[in-house]
Amino acid sequence: MNQQTSRLEMKKISIAFPGVQALSEVDFMAEGGRAHALIGANGAGKSTLMKVLAGAYDHYTGSIHIDGAEAAIRTPKEAKQYGIQIVYQEVDTALIPNLTVAENIMLERTVHEMKGRQWMNWADVHRSAKAVLERMNIYIPTRKLVSELSLAEKQMVLIARSMATKCRFLVLDEPTAPLSQMETEQLFRLVRLLKSEGVGVIFISHRLPELYEICEDITIMRDGQLVIREAIASVPQQRVVEHMLGAKLDGQFPERTSSPGEICFEARGIVDSGKVNDVSLNIRAGEIVGLAGLVGAGKTELCRALFGASNSAKGEVYLRGRKLRLGSPHVAVRSGLALVPEERRREGVFVDESVASNLTAAVLSRFTSWGTWLSRSKEKQASAQMIASLGIKTPSEGAKVRNLSGGNQQKVAIGKWLLADADVYIFDEPTKGVDVGAKRDIYELVAGLAAQGKCVLYASSELSEILGITDRMYVMYDGEIRKELTTSQTNEEEILLYSTGGMVE
């Protein structure tokens, strides 16, 4: 059977972890030459199902079939032998930063070829990697270190690695989350190329319009079970959301009635080595101020500068008229600032520590005696209360954050700062990679902070979010503030105009 008609079937897949039944007799099917959307709320089991397919978990029950024959997949090596490749959302964890692009793309081949050999034909490695990239119409220098690449380029390198071996089914887990619109279009062009070559693409995303643009089929999961599997054109977007949540989705953004007070937080002349150029802004008590702009506009760099996380940043920051000296995040926290970063797994949480340890990390002194002895009972009590108030889905406060879904990891990243009771909360793309239900929970949390009189800076490239949650906004382009807008008096078209460098004449 040729690649064009490849067929993948997963039958009655079940898997459990301590305290959690992650999957319950799930059926899934995908075909070569088609893109299949796999979606569900955070914790629905979609990533777990794909990890079973990729050989990351071996203790599942059920069976996997390719072209009608049962496939024995219990390890990543066995999955790759069947032509199954997966590109995870956290691309940095799958690449070796101090190796070149070519070495990363051809990694599996070079490892196998080095067995029993004392030398490697590196010129051939670079030629082979270049050929793979050219086939994909991607032009990245093969001798460039991966550590020097953008997130979009790293993702392309991972896909190229998949294509360097025999790939029949490619799983893309939230591939567009870190990408700009132009980079997303480049990815979609690549997906269409792969489909034309008979590769089946399984596309996990929470961005519904993208799924309707690139996919032919859709499978929706909820609570570790299959809900529906249909042709995507036959399922309206509103019904997709209802299937994901198990209920109708009411207003996504919370209603807010309180009015902002006096200016409480102010930044003047923030500069950071070409990334941020002379930015000034202010936030009133109880106000949510948006930081709008496309990917690469400088939002993340500005957030880090305000939080003291950039050694090269300069400028002045004031809280209630008092000038702060933000030389480090530690000083920022002591001064009353909190940052929920964009890259939560790398910077927002300790993935190999427990939920309790993460939630209390910013205020550990509250749970210690004599400065050294940690009271586990106090830590457990405080974390249990926060888990309940935020609706964090976890078997217990002792579970590792690594094993939580993306939305629940984000709630943990936010929860530790709620315990800290900061004065200024900086959110950098807080809903990246989380489902519509978890997004609504995060919006409620943000609105609740404003209702308490906190200052909130909300950075997002999702213009609908900026319009739905903020009182006022600053639009960034190329490291600069291009325009200050009142949310109730603007629209997506005007925000997009300024975020792309345009100006009203």
Side-chain angles (χ1 to χ4, degrees):
M1 185 174 288
N2 60 35
Q3 193 179 46
Q4 189 69 30
T5 55
S6 292
R7 182 181 179 90
L8 165 70
E9 293 177 281
M10 304 179 74
K11 300 180 179 181
K12 297 190 178 303
I13 302 295
S14 297
I15 191 170
F17 300 96
V20 177
Q21 182 67 40
L23 298 173
S24 299
E25 297 193 336
V26 175
D27 293 330
F28 179 79
M29 186 272 290
E31 295 180 88
R34 297 171 71 86
H36 195 121
L38 178 60
I39 69 169
N42 288 112
K46 54 192 184 298
S47 293
T48 302
L49 182 66
M50 290 299 100
K51 287 180 179 179
V52 167
L53 178 62
Y57 298 135
D58 65 354
H59 64 288
Y60 66 90
T61 60
S63 58
I64 301 172
H65 301 257
I66 297 178
D67 295 340
E70 186 166 351
I73 296 177
R74 298 285 171 174
T75 67
K77 181 180 179 181
E78 290 169 344
K80 290 172 183 176
Q81 288 172 343
Y82 283 102
I84 296 165
Q85 301 279 350
I86 185 167
V87 177
Y88 293 106
Q89 181 181 354
E90 305 294 339
V91 295
D92 286 302
T93 62
L95 294 170
I96 303 175
N98 58 343
L99 294 184
T100 65
V101 168
E103 290 165 338
N104 272 276
I105 291 175
M106 307 306 296
L107 185 63
E108 292 180 30
R109 198 187 83 175
T110 54
V111 167
H112 291 306
E113 288 187 0
M114 282 299 290
K115 290 181 179 179
R117 296 175 55 177
Q118 296 182 350
W119 60 274
M120 173 62 65
N121 186 339
W122 293 110
D124 182 58
V125 169
H126 284 276
R127 278 194 299 269
S128 299
K130 184 178 180 182
V132 174
L133 290 170
E134 287 179 346
R135 173 188 157 200
M136 297 165 53
N137 289 319
I138 302 297
Y139 300 96
I140 303 173
T142 62
R143 298 185 183 277
K144 195 172 185 179
L145 291 178
V146 161
S147 59
E148 300 171 356
L149 302 182
S150 67
L151 274 173
E153 289 173 328
K154 290 175 182 177
Q155 192 175 76
M156 294 302 172
V157 169
L158 270 179
I159 296 175
R161 180 194 289 176
S162 299
M163 302 315 298
T165 58
K166 181 183 178 183
C167 181
R168 301 169 77 181
F169 291 95
L170 177 65
V171 181
L172 299 175
D173 189 359
E174 291 288 350
T176 63
L179 304 186
S180 67
Q181 184 175 352
M182 184 178 299
E183 291 165 340
T184 297
E185 290 171 358
Q186 183 182 34
L187 174 66
F188 284 2
R189 178 186 53 74
L190 178 56
V191 169
R192 293 186 180 99
L193 171 66
L194 296 174
K195 289 196 294 183
S196 71
E197 296 180 353
V199 177
V201 178
I202 301 169
F203 203 96
I204 302 175
S205 177
H206 293 300
R207 297 178 173 180
L208 295 185
E210 295 178 352
L211 300 179
Y212 281 81
E213 179 179 346
I214 201 68
C215 297
E216 287 80 23
D217 308 296
I218 186 169
T219 290
I220 303 175
M221 296 181 64
R222 184 174 68 248
D223 297 331
Q225 297 179 314
L226 171 70
V227 178
I228 66 164
R229 180 178 63 243
E230 295 185 22
I232 195 168
S234 67
V235 190
Q237 288 192 28
Q238 184 64 26
R239 192 152 70 91
V240 169
V241 174
E242 291 172 4
H243 280 309
M244 289 172 61
L245 300 179
K248 290 186 178 295
L249 179 65
D250 298 322
Q252 193 171 14
F253 298 102
E255 291 187 12
R256 300 174 53 230
T257 56
S258 59
S259 300
E262 298 295 320
I263 292 176
C264 187
F265 179 77
E266 189 173 5
R268 302 175 188 170
I270 304 298
V271 177
D272 191 1
S273 61
K275 307 168 192 173
V276 180
N277 184 20
D278 195 22
V279 168
S280 297
L281 57 82
N282 62 70
I283 310 174
R284 299 176 182 275
E287 186 179 33
I288 303 174
V289 172
L291 199 58
L294 303 179
V295 174
K299 303 186 302 298
T300 293
E301 290 78 7
L302 176 58
C303 291
R304 290 176 58 83
L306 294 175
F307 192 61
S310 172
N311 294 328
S312 56
K314 298 178 181 178
E316 298 178 345
V317 176
Y318 295 84
L319 180 60
R320 296 193 181 90
R322 178 172 59 90
K323 186 176 180 179
L324 306 181
R325 300 185 182 278
L326 303 182
S328 68
H330 173 70
V331 176
V333 172
R334 292 183 61 183
S335 301
L337 275 64
L339 169 65
V340 178
E342 178 181 11
E343 297 300 321
R344 58 175 171 262
R345 286 178 66 89
R346 286 199 304 157
E347 301 174 337
V349 293
F350 302 108
V351 293
D352 289 316
E353 297 296 329
S354 69
V355 173
S357 296
N358 273 271
L359 287 172
T360 57
V363 287
L364 204 56
S365 59
R366 293 187 196 171
F367 308 99
T368 57
S369 300
W370 309 102
T372 54
W373 299 101
L374 177 65
S375 172
R376 294 292 183 185
S377 60
K378 290 182 180 179
E379 182 186 57
K380 181 177 180 179
Q381 182 181 9
S383 59
Q385 291 174 350
M386 187 58 65
I387 288 168
S389 65
L390 297 184
I392 299 172
K393 292 183 180 179
T394 176
S396 71
E397 68 278 348
K400 286 189 176 182
V401 169
R402 176 184 296 280
N403 297 325
L404 303 187
S405 67
N408 286 300
Q409 288 181 6
Q410 189 70 316
K411 288 181 181 180
V412 172
I414 295 171
K416 72 177 182 183
W417 294 121
L418 298 184
L419 275 176
D421 193 28
D423 296 305
V424 181
Y425 286 84
I426 303 170
F427 292 91
D428 187 9
E429 300 284 358
T431 63
K432 185 176 107 174
V434 303
D435 68 80
V436 290
K439 282 183 179 181
R440 186 169 53 179
D441 291 342
I442 291 171
Y443 299 148
E444 292 282 358
L445 288 172
V446 172
L449 290 171
Q452 296 173 34
K454 308 296 186 181
C455 297
V456 178
L457 183 65
Y458 192 100
S460 177
S461 55
E462 299 284 342
L463 302 188
S464 60
E465 279 192 355
I466 293 289
L467 284 168
I469 195 68
T470 68
D471 301 294
R472 187 166 51 90
M473 73 186 73
Y474 296 93
V475 185
M476 289 194 72
Y477 172 78
D478 198 23
E480 300 178 349
I481 297 292
R482 281 302 175 99
K483 191 70 174 179
E484 179 184 349
L485 298 168
T486 300
T487 304
S488 61
Q489 299 172 10
T490 188
N491 53 45
E492 284 198 28
E493 288 75 17
E494 185 178 23
I495 302 171
L496 189 59
L497 172 68
Y498 291 115
S499 65
T500 53
M503 297 293 289
V504 176
E505 297 182 1

